[in-house]
Amino acid sequence: SSSSSSAPVRIGSMSLSPSAPERCVSRDSMEDYWSEMKNIEEERQGGPEELMERASVDEAELEEAWLQEAGLSTLVTGTQSDGPAEALLSTLTRSQAAMVKKRLDNYTQTLRKRNRQPMRHVRDVFSTPDASSELTPPVSPNGQIAPKLPQWNAPKVPPSCPADTNGSGSASETVVLSFDVPYSEGAGAHRKGRECQDCRRICKDDRDLPSFQIVRPRQGVTRVNDLSSEDIKKIGYISLIELTTFYDFLGIEMKRNRVVRSRARDCGIFGVPLTTLLENDQKKSPGSRVPLVFKKLLSKLEQTGLQTEGILRVPGSASRVKHLRQELELKFYEDRFDWDQVRQNDAAGLLKMFIRELPNPLLTQQHLPAFTAAQSISSPKHQIQALHLLILLLPEANRDTLKALLEFLRKVVAYEEKNRMSLWNVSMIVAPNLFTFRGKNVKQEEMQGAVAAAQLVRLLITHQDLLWTVPCFLISHIRKMNEAATGKKTPTSEKSKRRLLKRWNLEKERERSEVTDFRDGVIRVHAPLHAKVSMAIQLNAEMKARDIMARFDIENGRGSRSAARRQRQYLFEVGGNIGERCLDPDAHLLDVYRVNPHCEWVLKSRLT
């Protein structure tokens, strides 16, 4: 029926009409990029030599680091633990499992060359040639946990490259993105040597980036901050395996920088790791997700600089910026710093300096090569998919700080008529600051590399709202991981066995009552902060989370003074096969119930 079909929707689309850069970019048109590179070089001259631990690249160590970041460290150490490895392996597709086997194989062979025995042989993990098929239960499009089948069959997805509907070849195309299927499965044409429609599409002389639309899942769109930190950690494991598999199909080597130690400061502002800054900030402002000084610089620029011509491009006085930096270091945390003395161009200079001087780059040292590799992907759709996975791989502090920066840059572009800073101008200025960092020798890259870096920043600014969502195929992985982990836990003592038996009995009772509830289409929603703290709700196929939110508002006197003061409440699914998920107001509740029948339904405010 038409009511049950999922229509393509635009997430956070911009009302901008950015003119795309020319396919063949002249050196003159890259003036902003090279000017920024020159400013960075001049600023570093005469500065202290950055001392960074240098080490030869060791293949075994890089593979070990990859396995650890993918949540598979027990495959290296050989220890049995309650870690995610076993549960994670049980949720992988054939392609993903084959990639893990390949990395583990490479790690094992490298150790043998050095006459060292691996802790676990690859055969212990993948015992038979067909073992991967046992590790690949399918994930259905709606996120339901499907029974194990002998082969992973990707569900059909809507055409990703629809024809231009307005009959005009000059307008940018609209590409429909489906989050139902792992991106690596969609890139199967590369693996089989066929021509990929998504790559062929940009052979046309089409200078505008396509706009992207997603098929809205019936379980609702999930944004990064909608999930618990535990589940986001697991998302990172799967994203790394999926990105490596995806790059392999595209013929891109998944290189990693070895994380080397620099002499990072543990106090102050500039050159301090993001995590250290946030630990210090949270003592002053609990719940801070972005460094306070970074937020203050963005706020200063938004208040006074958005309409300033050449903002970000025109540098402030080098001596004044140096003086302001020293003042910030001394006075910021004592609330003695005078922000009125900071001019717009000085604030822009301090902002870029803060980003460049992070001991670990904002895009992270280990993943910078993967971001750089995304520049060489010819298809805008595949580029967006790669960036999507890379954003989910970033540590929380980096991801939140990057989002704050991109939101500001979007505002700068929105004032282009006043400040003369187009999307392309802003991207050229920001790219050198994101792709260079302390300890790296800064050399003028080839023109092609400069253009590619700016193109990537352009995609990040334009499609940031889409990139900060979590595809439902990853949510399905999480549900399966959590179910597998719960099923594998075995009691070790008599006391824990009795406790577990008691819990099982309670769960069986609950399941019996929930089966009755499901037949009747009834759930119970808890709202601890409302006057009416609990309500039984009769579900139907089209009931959405927003309907529940509205019902509680009515019950509690919507429009009253107390309701106006109260923070907005959202519906959450809590427990079952998910840690916690804040539901999109447009999520269809019956669909959520079907994939997570044992969850609790709670109405509460979001933390962020």
Side-chain angles (χ1 to χ4, degrees):
S1 68
S2 59
S3 63
S4 63
S5 62
S6 297
V9 295
R10 197 183 299 271
I11 292 187
S13 55
M14 298 172 65
S15 58
L16 305 168
S17 311
S19 56
E22 299 288 336
R23 189 160 297 284
C24 297
V25 183
S26 68
R27 181 164 289 273
D28 288 342
S29 69
M30 290 296 293
E31 184 180 344
D32 285 344
Y33 186 98
W34 300 119
S35 175
E36 187 68 14
M37 292 290 284
K38 184 182 176 187
N39 290 337
I40 294 171
E41 286 280 18
E42 287 175 352
E43 180 193 304
R44 292 184 178 186
Q45 282 175 6
E49 186 74 22
E50 177 61 24
L51 294 174
M52 187 174 274
E53 201 179 287
R54 298 289 175 189
S56 58
V57 177
D58 184 290
E59 196 172 357
E61 285 181 30
L62 288 176
E63 293 293 3
E64 183 176 347
W66 186 93
L67 289 162
Q68 286 178 340
E69 193 180 348
L72 301 171
S73 58
T74 53
L75 303 187
V76 174
T77 60
T79 56
Q80 297 296 327
S81 69
D82 293 332
E86 197 173 344
L88 175 55
L89 287 170
S90 72
T91 71
L92 300 181
T93 67
R94 283 189 176 187
S95 305
Q96 292 166 347
M99 179 51 64
V100 171
K101 183 177 184 297
K102 180 180 175 182
R103 302 299 293 238
L104 187 58
D105 229 350
N106 192 38
Y107 170 73
T108 304
Q109 288 173 9
T110 309
L111 286 187
R112 280 200 182 131
K113 285 176 188 172
R114 290 201 250 142
N115 296 319
R116 279 174 54 194
Q117 276 301 316
M119 296 301 292
R120 290 180 72 183
H121 194 277
V122 70
R123 284 194 303 269
D124 298 334
V125 184
F126 303 94
S127 54
T128 69
D130 297 324
S132 61
S133 65
E134 296 171 8
L135 299 169
T136 60
V139 182
S140 66
N142 63 5
Q144 243 174 315
I145 308 306
K148 287 190 178 182
L149 297 174
Q151 185 170 353
W152 161 268
N153 293 311
K156 290 180 181 178
V157 296
S160 59
C161 309
D164 193 3
T165 53
N166 61 10
S168 165
S170 60
S172 63
E173 295 178 80
T174 297
V175 177
V176 178
L177 283 178
S178 171
F179 289 166
D180 292 340
V181 186
Y183 297 151
S184 57
E185 297 296 319
H190 290 273
R191 174 183 47 181
K192 294 169 185 174
R194 297 198 307 265
E195 185 176 27
C196 175
Q197 295 297 317
D198 296 315
C199 290
R200 190 177 66 179
R201 58 178 300 137
I202 78 155
C203 293
K204 295 179 294 180
D205 188 19
D206 180 6
R207 291 171 182 169
D208 280 350
L209 280 178
S211 58
F212 293 94
Q213 292 184 328
I214 71 158
V215 178
R216 185 179 286 275
R218 282 184 63 86
Q219 292 173 45
V221 173
T222 304
R223 290 172 172 79
V224 174
N225 290 338
D226 290 342
L227 295 171
S228 67
S229 56
E230 262 313 300
D231 282 344
I232 279 293
K233 193 175 176 183
K234 293 168 189 169
I235 290 284
Y237 300 151
I238 303 161
S239 296
L240 179 61
I241 296 170
E242 169 62 8
L243 179 69
T244 311
T245 309
F246 183 56
Y247 270 18
D248 189 55
F249 284 172
L250 295 179
I252 297 170
E253 188 182 352
M254 182 75 171
K255 292 181 179 176
R256 288 166 62 88
N257 278 335
R258 180 179 178 181
V259 179
V260 292
R261 296 186 181 186
S262 59
R263 293 183 183 176
R265 304 168 63 201
D266 57 6
C267 62
I269 290 172
F270 294 87
V272 179
L274 284 176
T275 48
T276 305
L277 279 170
L278 286 171
E279 282 171 16
N280 296 336
D281 289 350
Q282 283 162 2
K283 295 170 189 171
K284 183 176 182 178
S285 178
S288 293
R289 299 177 68 95
V290 175
L292 294 176
V293 70
F294 194 77
K295 284 173 70 174
K296 187 63 184 176
L297 286 167
L298 293 177
S299 173
K300 177 70 179 178
L301 283 164
E302 284 181 25
Q303 290 167 13
T304 63
L306 288 178
Q307 299 186 45
T308 302
E309 187 169 337
I311 190 63
L312 295 177
R313 181 201 296 133
V314 179
S317 157
S319 59
R320 197 167 57 242
V321 169
K322 185 178 179 181
H323 169 72
L324 289 170
R325 172 193 169 130
Q326 292 169 346
E327 289 270 296
L328 271 171
E329 292 279 12
L330 290 170
K331 300 177 180 178
F332 177 73
Y333 282 111
E334 297 175 8
D335 294 323
R336 293 190 297 115
F337 184 77
D338 179 14
W339 285 97
D340 292 336
Q341 66 179 315
V342 182
R343 302 176 190 176
Q344 298 96 315
N345 294 331
D346 297 336
L350 288 165
L351 182 77
K352 292 186 287 185
M353 183 184 288
F354 177 90
I355 294 168
R356 287 196 307 272
E357 296 205 3
L358 287 169
N360 192 19
L362 196 53
L363 301 181
T364 71
Q365 196 170 316
Q366 63 267 43
H367 296 308
L368 211 50
F371 274 99
T372 304
Q375 299 170 12
S376 64
I377 299 174
S378 59
S379 155
K381 177 180 175 181
H382 290 335
Q383 268 193 326
I384 281 291
Q385 290 171 327
L387 286 176
H388 203 176
L389 295 168
L390 278 163
I391 293 301
L392 295 172
L393 271 175
L394 292 178
E396 193 174 35
N398 297 62
R399 187 170 51 240
D400 290 339
T401 305
L402 178 62
K403 186 67 168 78
L405 174 66
L406 295 175
E407 285 173 355
F408 164 70
L409 296 177
R410 179 160 58 185
K411 291 173 186 173
V412 172
V413 177
Y415 281 87
E416 180 185 351
E417 287 188 12
K418 297 275 188 184
N419 59 35
R420 306 296 181 197
M421 291 296 289
S422 69
L423 178 60
W424 184 233
N425 294 139
V426 170
S427 301
M428 283 193 291
I429 294 295
V430 172
N433 292 281
L434 282 180
F435 287 95
T436 62
F437 58 95
R438 295 200 307 173
K440 176 180 177 180
N441 293 325
V442 183
K443 295 178 181 177
Q444 287 200 341
E445 301 152 305
E446 295 176 3
M447 177 60 63
Q448 183 183 356
V451 174
Q455 289 271 31
L456 209 62
V457 174
R458 189 163 161 259
L459 283 173
L460 287 169
I461 296 171
T462 308
H463 300 295
Q464 56 184 282
D465 292 321
L466 185 156
L467 295 171
W468 261 258
T469 62
V470 183
C472 48
F473 70 81
L474 289 178
I475 300 288
S476 297
H477 267 298
I478 293 304
R479 294 191 190 280
K480 291 180 75 64
M481 269 186 77
N482 289 338
E483 287 186 346
T486 303
K488 294 261 190 292
K489 284 180 182 173
T490 53
T492 53
S493 66
E494 285 302 315
K495 187 177 178 181
S496 60
K497 283 177 185 176
R498 284 196 299 272
R499 193 164 55 239
L500 192 61
L501 191 61
K502 185 179 178 182
R503 197 178 77 206
W504 279 344
N505 289 332
L506 285 171
E507 283 177 358
K508 282 183 187 286
E509 285 295 321
R510 187 176 169 190
E511 279 173 25
R512 277 196 285 272
S513 66
E514 281 172 348
V515 168
T516 309
D517 280 350
F518 181 60
R519 266 202 301 270
D520 297 334
V522 174
I523 61 169
R524 181 160 292 280
V525 178
H526 303 279
L529 297 181
H530 283 68
K532 189 176 180 72
V533 296
S534 176
M535 192 186 296
I537 305 285
Q538 177 87 39
L539 293 180
N540 60 54
E542 291 307 310
M543 182 171 283
K544 297 180 179 180
R546 68 170 68 256
D547 300 325
I548 305 294
M549 292 154 63
R551 193 174 297 189
F552 271 89
D553 278 342
I554 292 167
E555 288 285 337
N556 288 277
R558 183 175 54 189
S560 68
R561 186 175 299 176
S562 61
R565 281 200 308 263
R566 192 171 53 237
Q567 239 183 330
R568 190 178 179 195
Q569 307 278 294
Y570 291 86
L571 187 61
F572 285 73
E573 56 166 319
V574 181
N577 56 28
I578 201 98
E580 178 176 286
R581 184 170 79 108
C582 179
L583 295 178
D584 177 357
D586 287 320
H588 290 78
L589 297 184
L590 202 53
D591 291 77
V592 178
Y593 184 90
R594 282 173 178 155
V595 297
N596 194 7
H598 303 304
C599 74
E600 291 184 358
W601 306 80
V602 182
L603 203 65
K604 60 179 183 175
S605 346
R606 293 177 59 120
L607 292 175
T608 54

